[in-house]
PDB file of all heavy atoms in Angstrom:
ATOM      1  N   PHE A  51     -36.865   6.567  12.953  1.00 98.00           N
ATOM      2  CA  PHE A  51     -36.405   5.197  13.460  1.00 98.00           C
ATOM      3  C   PHE A  51     -37.618   4.243  13.089  1.00 98.00           C
ATOM      4  O   PHE A  51     -38.835   4.369  13.529  1.00 98.00           O
ATOM      5  CB  PHE A  51     -36.335   5.230  15.051  1.00 98.00           C
ATOM      6  CG  PHE A  51     -35.369   6.318  15.510  1.00 98.00           C
ATOM      7  CD1 PHE A  51     -35.598   7.129  16.559  1.00 98.00           C
ATOM      8  CD2 PHE A  51     -34.037   6.323  15.034  1.00 98.00           C
ATOM      9  CE1 PHE A  51     -34.624   8.048  16.997  1.00 98.00           C
ATOM     10  CE2 PHE A  51     -33.092   7.305  15.345  1.00 98.00           C
ATOM     11  CZ  PHE A  51     -33.423   8.104  16.390  1.00 98.00           C
ATOM     12  N   ASP A  52     -37.191   3.215  12.422  1.00 97.00           N
ATOM     13  CA  ASP A  52     -38.189   2.180  11.988  1.00 97.00           C
ATOM     14  C   ASP A  52     -39.389   2.793  11.387  1.00 97.00           C
ATOM     15  O   ASP A  52     -40.492   2.433  11.594  1.00 97.00           O
ATOM     16  CB  ASP A  52     -38.586   1.266  13.152  1.00 97.00           C
ATOM     17  CG  ASP A  52     -37.522   0.177  13.381  1.00 97.00           C
ATOM     18  OD1 ASP A  52     -36.773  -0.169  12.514  1.00 97.00           O
ATOM     19  OD2 ASP A  52     -37.578  -0.422  14.479  1.00 97.00           O
ATOM     20  N   GLY A  53     -39.207   3.860  10.497  1.00 96.00           N
ATOM     21  CA  GLY A  53     -40.283   4.465   9.779  1.00 96.00           C
ATOM     22  C   GLY A  53     -40.990   5.577  10.564  1.00 96.00           C
ATOM     23  O   GLY A  53     -41.945   6.143  10.071  1.00 96.00           O
ATOM     24  N   ILE A  54     -40.672   5.758  11.889  1.00 97.00           N
ATOM     25  CA  ILE A  54     -41.503   6.644  12.686  1.00 97.00           C
ATOM     26  C   ILE A  54     -40.589   7.941  12.613  1.00 97.00           C
ATOM     27  O   ILE A  54     -39.602   8.003  13.245  1.00 97.00           O
ATOM     28  CB  ILE A  54     -41.623   6.153  14.160  1.00 97.00           C
ATOM     29  CG1 ILE A  54     -42.355   4.861  14.161  1.00 97.00           C
ATOM     30  CG2 ILE A  54     -42.270   7.206  14.978  1.00 97.00           C
ATOM     31  CD1 ILE A  54     -42.497   4.199  15.564  1.00 97.00           C
ATOM     32  N   GLN A  55     -41.192   8.960  11.973  1.00 97.00           N
ATOM     33  CA  GLN A  55     -40.557  10.307  11.788  1.00 97.00           C
ATOM     34  C   GLN A  55     -40.238  10.902  13.127  1.00 97.00           C
ATOM     35  O   GLN A  55     -41.171  10.969  13.970  1.00 97.00           O
ATOM     36  CB  GLN A  55     -41.428  11.083  10.970  1.00 97.00           C
ATOM     37  CG  GLN A  55     -40.628  12.350  10.293  1.00 97.00           C
ATOM     38  CD  GLN A  55     -39.567  11.845   9.275  1.00 97.00           C
ATOM     39  OE1 GLN A  55     -39.653  10.890   8.574  1.00 97.00           O
ATOM     40  NE2 GLN A  55     -38.427  12.570   9.288  1.00 97.00           N
ATOM     41  N   GLN A  56     -39.106  11.447  13.257  1.00 97.00           N
ATOM     42  CA  GLN A  56     -38.754  12.238  14.479  1.00 97.00           C
ATOM     43  C   GLN A  56     -38.740  13.739  14.243  1.00 97.00           C
ATOM     44  O   GLN A  56     -38.586  14.142  13.063  1.00 97.00           O
ATOM     45  CB  GLN A  56     -37.345  11.818  14.948  1.00 97.00           C
ATOM     46  CG  GLN A  56     -37.182  10.323  15.161  1.00 97.00           C
ATOM     47  CD  GLN A  56     -38.149   9.858  16.351  1.00 97.00           C
ATOM     48  OE1 GLN A  56     -38.172  10.297  17.342  1.00 97.00           O
ATOM     49  NE2 GLN A  56     -38.896   8.697  15.962  1.00 97.00           N
ATOM     50  N   PRO A  57     -38.823  14.538  15.157  1.00 97.00           N
ATOM     51  CA  PRO A  57     -38.910  16.041  14.825  1.00 97.00           C
ATOM     52  C   PRO A  57     -37.566  16.510  14.171  1.00 97.00           C
ATOM     53  O   PRO A  57     -36.516  15.949  14.563  1.00 97.00           O
ATOM     54  CB  PRO A  57     -39.022  16.734  16.277  1.00 97.00           C
ATOM     55  CG  PRO A  57     -39.656  15.624  17.080  1.00 97.00           C
ATOM     56  CD  PRO A  57     -39.117  14.364  16.656  1.00 97.00           C
ATOM     57  N   ASP A  58     -37.632  17.276  13.263  1.00 96.00           N
ATOM     58  CA  ASP A  58     -36.389  17.734  12.496  1.00 96.00           C
ATOM     59  C   ASP A  58     -35.481  18.387  13.558  1.00 96.00           C
ATOM     60  O   ASP A  58     -35.872  19.035  14.478  1.00 96.00           O
ATOM     61  CB  ASP A  58     -36.675  18.836  11.481  1.00 96.00           C
ATOM     62  CG  ASP A  58     -37.520  18.214  10.309  1.00 96.00           C
ATOM     63  OD1 ASP A  58     -37.559  16.900  10.144  1.00 96.00           O
ATOM     64  OD2 ASP A  58     -37.934  18.944   9.431  1.00 96.00           O
ATOM     65  N   MET A  59     -34.260  18.207  13.416  1.00 96.00           N
ATOM     66  CA  MET A  59     -33.219  18.671  14.352  1.00 96.00           C
ATOM     67  C   MET A  59     -32.340  19.601  13.721  1.00 96.00           C
ATOM     68  O   MET A  59     -31.969  19.519  12.489  1.00 96.00           O
ATOM     69  CB  MET A  59     -32.283  17.507  14.705  1.00 96.00           C
ATOM     70  CG  MET A  59     -31.212  17.858  15.717  1.00 96.00           C
ATOM     71  SD  MET A  59     -30.044  16.458  16.109  1.00 96.00           S
ATOM     72  CE  MET A  59     -31.293  15.358  16.958  1.00 96.00           C
ATOM     73  N   GLU A  60     -32.079  20.779  14.412  1.00 94.00           N
ATOM     74  CA  GLU A  60     -31.147  21.812  13.918  1.00 94.00           C
ATOM     75  C   GLU A  60     -29.703  21.457  14.183  1.00 94.00           C
ATOM     76  O   GLU A  60     -29.465  21.018  15.383  1.00 94.00           O
ATOM     77  CB  GLU A  60     -31.538  23.122  14.564  1.00 94.00           C
ATOM     78  CG  GLU A  60     -30.706  24.366  14.021  1.00 94.00           C
ATOM     79  CD  GLU A  60     -31.218  25.681  14.543  1.00 94.00           C
ATOM     80  OE1 GLU A  60     -32.320  25.650  15.179  1.00 94.00           O
ATOM     81  OE2 GLU A  60     -30.522  26.686  14.485  1.00 94.00           O
ATOM     82  N   GLY A  61     -28.793  21.651  13.288  1.00 93.00           N
ATOM     83  CA  GLY A  61     -27.559  21.345  13.456  1.00 93.00           C
ATOM     84  C   GLY A  61     -26.762  22.362  14.219  1.00 93.00           C
ATOM     85  O   GLY A  61     -27.076  23.532  14.333  1.00 93.00           O
ATOM     86  N   THR A  62     -25.585  21.902  14.761  1.00 94.00           N
ATOM     87  CA  THR A  62     -24.541  22.765  15.488  1.00 94.00           C
ATOM     88  C   THR A  62     -23.518  23.205  14.454  1.00 94.00           C
ATOM     89  O   THR A  62     -22.901  22.359  13.871  1.00 94.00           O
ATOM     90  CB  THR A  62     -23.964  22.009  16.642  1.00 94.00           C
ATOM     91  OG1 THR A  62     -25.029  21.715  17.503  1.00 94.00           O
ATOM     92  CG2 THR A  62     -22.910  23.014  17.396  1.00 94.00           C
ATOM     93  N   HIS A  63     -23.295  24.491  14.390  1.00 93.00           N
ATOM     94  CA  HIS A  63     -22.258  24.968  13.476  1.00 93.00           C
ATOM     95  C   HIS A  63     -20.932  24.604  14.160  1.00 93.00           C
ATOM     96  O   HIS A  63     -20.550  25.000  15.263  1.00 93.00           O
ATOM     97  CB  HIS A  63     -22.405  26.509  13.272  1.00 93.00           C
ATOM     98  CG  HIS A  63     -21.363  27.094  12.423  1.00 93.00           C
ATOM     99  ND1 HIS A  63     -20.709  28.274  12.763  1.00 93.00           N
ATOM    100  CD2 HIS A  63     -20.735  26.666  11.337  1.00 93.00           C
ATOM    101  CE1 HIS A  63     -19.834  28.573  11.910  1.00 93.00           C
ATOM    102  NE2 HIS A  63     -19.891  27.672  10.966  1.00 93.00           N
ATOM    103  N   ALA A  64     -20.032  23.863  13.318  1.00 93.00           N
ATOM    104  CA  ALA A  64     -18.852  23.362  13.780  1.00 93.00           C
ATOM    105  C   ALA A  64     -17.589  24.242  13.455  1.00 93.00           C
ATOM    106  O   ALA A  64     -16.982  24.748  14.262  1.00 93.00           O
ATOM    107  CB  ALA A  64     -18.638  21.931  13.334  1.00 93.00           C
ATOM    108  N   TRP A  65     -17.524  24.489  12.195  1.00 91.00           N
ATOM    109  CA  TRP A  65     -16.476  25.330  11.784  1.00 91.00           C
ATOM    110  C   TRP A  65     -16.649  25.664  10.219  1.00 91.00           C
ATOM    111  O   TRP A  65     -17.498  25.102   9.531  1.00 91.00           O
ATOM    112  CB  TRP A  65     -15.038  24.734  11.886  1.00 91.00           C
ATOM    113  CG  TRP A  65     -14.705  23.634  11.061  1.00 91.00           C
ATOM    114  CD1 TRP A  65     -14.249  23.587   9.778  1.00 91.00           C
ATOM    115  CD2 TRP A  65     -14.860  22.165  11.384  1.00 91.00           C
ATOM    116  NE1 TRP A  65     -13.998  22.435   9.309  1.00 91.00           N
ATOM    117  CE2 TRP A  65     -14.293  21.436  10.257  1.00 91.00           C
ATOM    118  CE3 TRP A  65     -15.284  21.441  12.512  1.00 91.00           C
ATOM    119  CZ2 TRP A  65     -14.434  20.078  10.172  1.00 91.00           C
ATOM    120  CZ3 TRP A  65     -15.348  20.042  12.418  1.00 91.00           C
ATOM    121  CH2 TRP A  65     -14.877  19.375  11.349  1.00 91.00           C
ATOM    122  N   ASP A  66     -15.881  26.565   9.701  1.00 90.00           N
ATOM    123  CA  ASP A  66     -15.876  26.908   8.373  1.00 90.00           C
ATOM    124  C   ASP A  66     -14.535  26.831   7.724  1.00 90.00           C
ATOM    125  O   ASP A  66     -13.405  26.926   8.405  1.00 90.00           O
ATOM    126  CB  ASP A  66     -16.235  28.496   8.120  1.00 90.00           C
ATOM    127  CG  ASP A  66     -17.527  28.625   8.687  1.00 90.00           C
ATOM    128  OD1 ASP A  66     -18.562  27.923   8.452  1.00 90.00           O
ATOM    129  OD2 ASP A  66     -17.861  29.708   9.459  1.00 90.00           O
ATOM    130  N   ASN A  67     -14.383  26.593   6.348  1.00 88.00           N
ATOM    131  CA  ASN A  67     -13.160  26.871   5.685  1.00 88.00           C
ATOM    132  C   ASN A  67     -13.365  27.604   4.466  1.00 88.00           C
ATOM    133  O   ASN A  67     -14.490  28.234   4.306  1.00 88.00           O
ATOM    134  CB  ASN A  67     -12.423  25.455   5.360  1.00 88.00           C
ATOM    135  CG  ASN A  67     -13.189  24.639   4.482  1.00 88.00           C
ATOM    136  OD1 ASN A  67     -14.141  25.072   3.786  1.00 88.00           O
ATOM    137  ND2 ASN A  67     -12.974  23.343   4.528  1.00 88.00           N
ATOM    138  N   GLU A  68     -12.535  27.768   3.555  1.00 84.00           N
ATOM    139  CA  GLU A  68     -12.803  28.577   2.368  1.00 84.00           C
ATOM    140  C   GLU A  68     -13.814  28.184   1.486  1.00 84.00           C
ATOM    141  O   GLU A  68     -14.479  29.094   0.808  1.00 84.00           O
ATOM    142  CB  GLU A  68     -11.413  28.636   1.570  1.00 84.00           C
ATOM    143  CG  GLU A  68     -10.237  29.232   2.297  1.00 84.00           C
ATOM    144  CD  GLU A  68      -9.010  29.171   1.348  1.00 84.00           C
ATOM    145  OE1 GLU A  68      -9.006  28.574   0.243  1.00 84.00           O
ATOM    146  OE2 GLU A  68      -7.941  29.763   1.823  1.00 84.00           O
ATOM    147  N   SER A  69     -14.188  26.904   1.514  1.00 85.00           N
ATOM    148  CA  SER A  69     -15.310  26.470   0.627  1.00 85.00           C
ATOM    149  C   SER A  69     -16.582  25.936   1.283  1.00 85.00           C
ATOM    150  O   SER A  69     -17.643  25.885   0.707  1.00 85.00           O
ATOM    151  CB  SER A  69     -14.689  25.191  -0.170  1.00 85.00           C
ATOM    152  OG  SER A  69     -13.585  25.712  -0.971  1.00 85.00           O
ATOM    153  N   TRP A  70     -16.409  25.605   2.584  1.00 90.00           N
ATOM    154  CA  TRP A  70     -17.535  24.814   3.144  1.00 90.00           C
ATOM    155  C   TRP A  70     -17.818  25.269   4.522  1.00 90.00           C
ATOM    156  O   TRP A  70     -16.969  25.835   5.280  1.00 90.00           O
ATOM    157  CB  TRP A  70     -17.244  23.275   3.266  1.00 90.00           C
ATOM    158  CG  TRP A  70     -17.023  22.606   1.975  1.00 90.00           C
ATOM    159  CD1 TRP A  70     -15.803  22.414   1.428  1.00 90.00           C
ATOM    160  CD2 TRP A  70     -17.962  22.003   1.073  1.00 90.00           C
ATOM    161  NE1 TRP A  70     -15.923  21.705   0.190  1.00 90.00           N
ATOM    162  CE2 TRP A  70     -17.338  21.466   0.097  1.00 90.00           C
ATOM    163  CE3 TRP A  70     -19.363  21.860   1.181  1.00 90.00           C
ATOM    164  CZ2 TRP A  70     -18.002  20.865  -0.982  1.00 90.00           C
ATOM    165  CZ3 TRP A  70     -19.988  21.183   0.108  1.00 90.00           C
ATOM    166  CH2 TRP A  70     -19.260  20.707  -0.914  1.00 90.00           C
ATOM    167  N   THR A  71     -19.089  25.169   4.956  1.00 92.00           N
ATOM    168  CA  THR A  71     -19.525  25.320   6.386  1.00 92.00           C
ATOM    169  C   THR A  71     -19.942  23.949   6.869  1.00 92.00           C
ATOM    170  O   THR A  71     -20.716  23.223   6.249  1.00 92.00           O
ATOM    171  CB  THR A  71     -20.672  26.296   6.506  1.00 92.00           C
ATOM    172  OG1 THR A  71     -20.354  27.552   5.976  1.00 92.00           O
ATOM    173  CG2 THR A  71     -21.258  26.412   7.917  1.00 92.00           C
ATOM    174  N   TYR A  72     -19.364  23.645   8.095  1.00 94.00           N
ATOM    175  CA  TYR A  72     -19.639  22.240   8.635  1.00 94.00           C
ATOM    176  C   TYR A  72     -20.530  22.286   9.760  1.00 94.00           C
ATOM    177  O   TYR A  72     -20.568  23.180  10.599  1.00 94.00           O
ATOM    178  CB  TYR A  72     -18.249  21.686   9.140  1.00 94.00           C
ATOM    179  CG  TYR A  72     -17.329  21.328   7.985  1.00 94.00           C
ATOM    180  CD1 TYR A  72     -16.553  22.343   7.369  1.00 94.00           C
ATOM    181  CD2 TYR A  72     -17.110  20.078   7.591  1.00 94.00           C
ATOM    182  CE1 TYR A  72     -15.667  22.117   6.337  1.00 94.00           C
ATOM    183  CE2 TYR A  72     -16.187  19.707   6.593  1.00 94.00           C
ATOM    184  CZ  TYR A  72     -15.547  20.727   5.977  1.00 94.00           C
ATOM    185  OH  TYR A  72     -14.745  20.351   4.914  1.00 94.00           O
ATOM    186  N   TYR A  73     -21.474  21.329   9.773  1.00 95.00           N
ATOM    187  CA  TYR A  73     -22.541  21.186  10.904  1.00 95.00           C
ATOM    188  C   TYR A  73     -22.320  19.778  11.468  1.00 95.00           C
ATOM    189  O   TYR A  73     -22.190  18.807  10.657  1.00 95.00           O
ATOM    190  CB  TYR A  73     -23.842  21.438  10.409  1.00 95.00           C
ATOM    191  CG  TYR A  73     -24.135  22.814   9.922  1.00 95.00           C
ATOM    192  CD1 TYR A  73     -24.012  23.182   8.561  1.00 95.00           C
ATOM    193  CD2 TYR A  73     -24.686  23.722  10.779  1.00 95.00           C
ATOM    194  CE1 TYR A  73     -24.161  24.597   8.232  1.00 95.00           C
ATOM    195  CE2 TYR A  73     -24.849  25.110  10.474  1.00 95.00           C
ATOM    196  CZ  TYR A  73     -24.723  25.428   9.161  1.00 95.00           C
ATOM    197  OH  TYR A  73     -25.026  26.709   8.772  1.00 95.00           O
ATOM    198  N   THR A  74     -22.836  19.655  12.772  1.00 97.00           N
ATOM    199  CA  THR A  74     -22.855  18.360  13.388  1.00 97.00           C
ATOM    200  C   THR A  74     -24.324  18.216  13.979  1.00 97.00           C
ATOM    201  O   THR A  74     -24.845  19.196  14.350  1.00 97.00           O
ATOM    202  CB  THR A  74     -21.824  18.169  14.476  1.00 97.00           C
ATOM    203  OG1 THR A  74     -21.876  19.100  15.367  1.00 97.00           O
ATOM    204  CG2 THR A  74     -20.386  18.186  13.751  1.00 97.00           C
TER     205      THR A  74
END
Side-chain angles (χ1 to χ4, degrees):
F51 300 134
D52 280 339
I54 301 175
Q55 196 68 35
Q56 307 297 309
D58 291 350
M59 178 184 295
E60 185 174 345
T62 299
H63 177 222
W65 71 85
D66 301 313
N67 61 24
E68 294 178 356
S69 303
W70 300 93
T71 297
Y72 289 77
Y73 293 91
T74 59

